[in-house]
Amino acid sequence: MHNLTMSRHNGSELHILCSSGHLFLQPLWDRLRTWEPLIQSPFFPVVFSITTYVGFCLPFVVLDIICPWVPALRRYKIHPDFSPSVRQLLPCLGLTLYHHVVFIFPMTLLHWVASRAPLPPEAPELLQLARHVVFCLLLFDAEFFVWHVLHHKVPWLYRSFHKMHHQNSSSFALATQYVSVWELFSLGFFDMVNVLLLRCHPLTVLIFHVVNIWLSVEDHSGYDFPWSTHRLVPFGWYGGVAHHDLHHSQFNCNFAPYFTHWDRILGTLQSAHAK
């Protein structure tokens, strides 16, 4: 009888926790749904992606501009003597805009024509949203690891599709999306499959894309701050900017975009502290 009472009590607590998580996100989701015609338009994914990406890149661009005049900033740069020039920044920005207009917009337009389901009235539970975002990141990390290793180990794949991303040996934020069309579509395909596989709520999809864009920009930013993501994740599970910079300089290590477990398992992990 006591066990039954405890079970009911624990079940009630779990229900309250889940309900609280649902109620926590519902006001935000209700507010977003007032913009449903915009969110459901074929233009929204392109505008959302560009503004989020450029918005995350701009602070690092500003830091690169002022860094030569602010010596205190140089202690946080992976390459203290490097600052991207205008001739490096503009082609990267131009290619990002070109890809979104010429390739991503037609794909979102096709998706819009094929599937125009209304937004669900209820927000996801907070724990479910967090769980799905983490799962999406882990899946993307594994998929890109396999893709990345293949495109480094097979010379034709590297020359034809991935070499473009390595033209800038010293990373900077706007070089994050300096990629070939094949690489652009490969990463977009992984994103799309993962959110469909997990049946993610539209709000979860938006948050996952924001997190994914931020992590990729941070990894290429060239700045290692005390609050950088890899310093917030324990036990070295997350690589970070110095970790990814080693890949750009040495080519044969640290293939996973974010986490370190696949490189550790397959022997391609190199610690940034050992550099």
Side-chain angles (χ1 to χ4, degrees), residues 40 42 106-118 192:
Q40 293 286 72
M107 293 300 294
T108 59
L109 186 61
L110 289 174
H111 182 266
W112 178 78
V113 170
S115 174
R116 283 184 280 179
M192 180 184 68

Side-chain angles (χ1 to χ4, degrees), residues 29-47:
W29 183 238
D30 289 340
R31 183 69 179 268
L32 288 175
R33 285 182 64 236
T34 63
W35 297 85
E36 182 165 359
L38 173 63
I39 293 173
Q40 293 286 72
S41 77
F43 301 98
F44 178 76
V46 176
V47 174

Side-chain angles (χ1 to χ4, degrees), residues 57-68 73 77 83 223 225:
C57 287
L58 275 179
F60 294 111
V61 173
V62 172
L63 290 178
D64 283 332
I65 292 172
I66 67 174
C67 190
L73 273 177
K77 280 185 68 69
S83 290
Y223 288 89
F225 292 113

Side-chain angles (χ1 to χ4, degrees), residues 63 133 217:
L63 290 178
V133 168
V217 168

Side-chain angles (χ1 to χ4, degrees), residues 188-210:
F189 176 76
F190 297 151
D191 280 354
M192 180 184 68
V193 166
N194 294 341
V195 298
L196 290 175
L197 181 65
L198 295 174
R199 302 178 65 183
C200 293
H201 189 280
L203 180 59
T204 305
V205 175
L206 288 178
I207 293 176
F208 163 64
H209 286 317
V210 169

Side-chain angles (χ1 to χ4, degrees), residues 205-240:
V205 175
L206 288 178
I207 293 176
F208 163 64
H209 286 317
V210 169
V211 172
N212 202 21
I213 292 171
W214 163 250
L215 294 178
S216 61
V217 168
E218 184 191 46
D219 267 7
H220 291 85
S221 68
Y223 288 89
D224 187 2
F225 292 113
W227 54 84
S228 293
T229 305
H230 73 99
R231 299 185 184 276
L232 305 178
V233 179
F235 311 120
W237 289 338
Y238 186 87

